[in-house]
Amino acid sequence: MLRNENTPTRKRVIQESLYAEAEQPNFSFLIAQPFTVEMLASTAAAVGANAAGLVNQLNQVLAENLGNNMASRIKKADKNNVDLPTQADMDALYDSYDFTGIRSGTAFGSMFDKIMFRLSGNFVRKLIKQKGYQDQPAPVTVAKRGSDAGEGQISYEDFEGEVTQLMEGEGPWGEKEAFIDLRQSLVDEAEAEEERVRAAEQSTEAKLADIDLASLSD
């Protein structure tokens, strides 16, 4: 997404304890908030929405999605004993964001996103169960959301991070040919499923057009 030196920002503290342990107390990220009332006034008026409310919602969702994505990256960096993400990493994440991808397990942009998230999640679960995860031998499972990872498990946040990388073609999914090919097969499968669902919806709508509740009493 686009921004400049005049784009408003908001501060967001993410994984505060990990930054404190890394001798960076009180560290916070600045997340750009690009949407303004002037920008969306005509759109809001066209649908009878409150422009200020619409702006607040868009900026809030943007901050939450970027924050959730960054939280997964921070935990992964800590687990791998590498430097924690910086403001530059958040800026890069913002620059590449366009509201079309999945940034957390609870935020879906489209039917394709939902299908791709499910297919990618199923694949990652099978992969770590059969192959293990990093230094953990197989089988490895995923802890429930909000629960600590137990023996032979990874946290739900780490799981979401891996799914996000697969969906967005980051890391090995955008670098190694075998990974790229496998990801493309999931994309193809998601697109085919989306097409089937759309066709089924259109078929149902066509049938509904030919009936009404009054006909049930005939």
Side-chain angles (χ1 to χ4, degrees):
M1 291 181 60
L2 302 178
R3 58 191 169 90
N4 57 48
E5 65 275 8
N6 297 318
T7 301
T9 61
R10 72 166 60 178
K11 287 186 177 181
R12 190 180 184 99
V13 176
I14 306 173
Q15 297 298 315
E16 181 178 15
S17 61
L18 294 182
Y19 280 93
E21 292 174 6
E23 299 183 351
Q24 298 183 63
N26 303 316
F27 179 86
S28 62
F29 291 96
L30 293 177
I31 301 178
Q33 301 283 267
F35 299 103
T36 66
V37 171
E38 293 75 17
M39 185 186 301
L40 298 174
S42 61
T43 299
V47 296
N50 178 276
L54 184 60
V55 166
N56 289 337
Q57 288 287 328
L58 284 172
N59 282 328
Q60 177 65 24
V61 169
L62 174 62
E64 289 181 357
N65 287 354
L66 294 181
N68 290 339
N69 189 297
M70 184 57 69
S72 296
R73 297 179 184 220
I74 294 169
K75 290 183 178 181
K76 181 174 291 187
D78 177 67
K79 186 173 184 178
N80 294 335
N81 294 316
V82 299
D83 291 341
L84 298 181
T86 65
Q87 180 62 45
D89 295 306
M90 176 62 80
D91 291 342
L93 191 59
Y94 174 91
D95 291 343
S96 65
Y97 188 74
D98 63 3
F99 275 93
T100 60
I102 295 300
R103 306 301 170 179
S104 73
T106 58
F108 298 101
S110 66
M111 181 186 296
F112 173 83
D113 289 338
K114 295 177 183 180
I115 296 171
M116 186 63 182
F117 184 86
R118 173 172 53 79
L119 294 177
S120 298
N122 289 342
F123 175 81
V124 170
R125 287 179 185 274
K126 291 178 181 178
L127 181 64
I128 63 176
K129 185 175 183 180
Q130 295 181 14
K131 303 292 186 178
Y133 182 75
Q134 296 182 1
D135 59 346
Q136 296 178 257
V140 174
T141 59
V142 180
K144 293 182 179 180
R145 185 193 297 272
S147 300
D148 293 332
E151 185 72 23
Q153 289 188 319
I154 63 172
S155 68
Y156 194 86
E157 291 78 10
D158 282 343
F159 166 71
E160 281 193 324
E162 294 297 338
V163 172
T164 297
Q165 279 206 93
L166 193 165
M167 291 184 64
E168 298 177 358
E170 296 179 348
W173 304 104
E175 299 168 357
K176 299 181 180 180
E177 184 175 355
F179 285 73
I180 293 173
D181 291 344
L182 193 150
R183 176 181 177 277
Q184 186 58 51
S185 70
L186 290 175
V187 170
D188 293 342
E189 185 177 350
E191 289 177 342
E193 182 172 340
E194 180 186 26
E195 185 175 347
R196 290 194 297 271
V197 172
R198 296 291 188 194
E201 289 179 343
Q202 291 176 1
S203 176
T204 299
E205 290 176 358
K207 293 176 181 178
L208 289 174
D210 295 331
I211 64 173
D212 57 49
L213 290 178
S215 65
L216 296 178
S217 60
D218 293 341

